[in-house]
Amino acid sequence: MKAVLTIAGSDSGGGAGIQGDLKTIEAHGCYGMSVITGVTAQNTKGILAVEEVSGKILQKQLEAVLSDIRPAAIKIGMVYSRENVEIISKALQQWDHGPVVLDPVLASTSGLPLLKPWAIEALEEQLFPQVTLLTPNLPEAGTLLGERTWPEDSRMEEAVRALSWQYGTAVLLKGGHRERGAHDVLCTEGQVHWFLGEQIQAIKGSHGTGCALSSAIACNLAAGMSLLEAIKAAKIYVTGALLHAPGLGRGNGPLHHGWRKRFPEKAGEREE
């Protein structure tokens, strides 16, 4: 069994963050481990409050996990503060681990900041150079590129090339915020690859899609897939999780992370 570590914030509603990551890791047959960077009070209607863990306990969590079980892959989500970035960066340099997928969580869907402004520079300088793949969405890409708005559909390829060159790593620019379609584009080693997808009207909820995608990619990399194979398989998984969303809560509900186990007859229906 491959061990996969998620370093992220806690979601009390269970749809995203550490909870969503661990459900995704379990769904991929991997052993999930977690390091919590902060605690959020949230549900399907939004985030009520955020509080980061102390630097001391963050460091001890990382030391406890990484000194004992080598992760075959790591997913990083909300880091929240500059201190957290510095601690995580040092731990990645100190301990042996597999590929790292970083989802640059900058704000919640409702716009609540999940990364302190003065932490962005540290994230770019200290963590981005150490990762295998960055997975920003369109609004996050706009912020990282220093733009007030996110890249238009026609500029996605230009934007992903710029980000990959800027940070010296592979970048998957997610197109879920597009007006039409849900196409993602990857730039790795100067080459661009498109992953086409249809826009799903997630009536029952889409909370946690970014977390699920990055965690699924990490699991697939841990299993030995190439980067392109890992992304393609992860998109299939997230599509199924959206289509089988359970409709919980009074707001934007969670995905069905375990849909393949609940509906095994449908597990391969969108693989073409």
Side-chain angles (χ1 to χ4, degrees):
M1 178 178 284
K2 300 293 185 180
V4 175
L5 169 64
T6 168
I7 304 173
S10 169
D11 172 4
S12 55
I18 289 288
Q19 289 84 348
D21 292 343
L22 289 175
K23 292 173 186 178
T24 299
I25 293 168
E26 175 70 17
H28 283 76
C30 296
Y31 178 74
M33 305 179 294
S34 64
V35 167
I36 299 175
T37 58
V39 178
T40 69
Q42 69 174 295
N43 54 28
T44 62
K45 295 186 289 183
I47 299 178
L48 283 68
V50 182
E51 184 171 317
E52 68 178 299
V53 303
S54 69
K56 179 180 179 180
I57 193 63
L58 175 62
Q59 184 174 353
K60 288 299 182 182
Q61 287 181 87
L62 287 162
E63 181 182 337
V65 173
L66 295 171
S67 67
D68 186 32
I69 303 174
R70 179 190 182 276
I74 297 175
K75 175 268 171 82
I76 301 176
M78 185 189 87
V79 294
Y80 195 63
S81 71
R82 184 182 186 91
E83 182 183 16
N84 285 354
V85 170
E86 293 171 348
I87 292 170
I88 295 168
S89 176
K90 290 179 181 177
L92 292 182
Q93 294 173 43
Q94 181 178 359
W95 302 101
D96 185 31
H97 56 80
V100 179
V101 179
L102 193 154
D103 185 14
V105 180
L106 305 183
S108 68
T109 302
S110 60
L112 182 70
L114 295 177
L115 181 71
K116 294 179 179 178
W118 50 91
I120 294 179
E121 183 178 351
L123 189 67
E124 293 177 305
E125 293 179 354
Q126 298 183 44
L127 273 184
F128 285 3
Q130 296 191 65
V131 307
T132 307
L133 177 70
L134 294 175
T135 63
N137 59 30
L138 290 173
E140 290 162 348
T143 299
L144 294 174
L145 290 169
E147 300 178 359
R148 294 185 178 180
T149 59
W150 65 67
E152 299 292 337
D153 290 0
S154 61
R155 291 191 56 239
M156 282 186 67
E157 186 168 322
E158 175 187 343
V160 77
R161 285 185 183 276
L163 289 170
S164 183
W165 179 84
Q166 182 172 324
Y167 299 122
T169 190
V171 177
L172 177 69
L173 180 53
K174 300 176 294 188
H177 288 76
R178 291 164 53 101
E179 293 183 1
R180 292 178 294 178
H183 309 325
D184 302 337
V185 58
L186 168 73
C187 184
T188 177
E189 298 181 342
Q191 301 297 313
V192 169
H193 308 269
W194 283 89
F195 299 87
L196 305 184
E198 61 184 85
Q199 192 74 268
I200 298 173
Q201 296 300 319
I203 299 174
K204 296 184 178 180
S206 60
H207 179 53
T209 51
C211 298
L213 181 68
S214 53
S215 296
I217 294 172
C219 290
N220 294 333
L221 291 174
M225 291 187 188
S226 69
L227 186 56
L228 270 66
E229 292 171 335
I231 294 171
K232 180 180 178 182
K235 281 184 65 70
I236 293 169
Y237 167 75
V238 172
T239 297
L242 278 166
L243 291 172
H244 296 93
L248 300 175
R250 300 178 180 179
N252 182 23
L255 312 177
H256 194 323
H257 298 88
W259 68 274
R260 280 177 168 155
K261 185 175 182 179
R262 178 67 178 81
F263 304 100
E265 73 282 1
K266 299 181 179 181
E269 66 183 7
R270 288 185 171 266
E271 294 192 6
E272 293 301 326

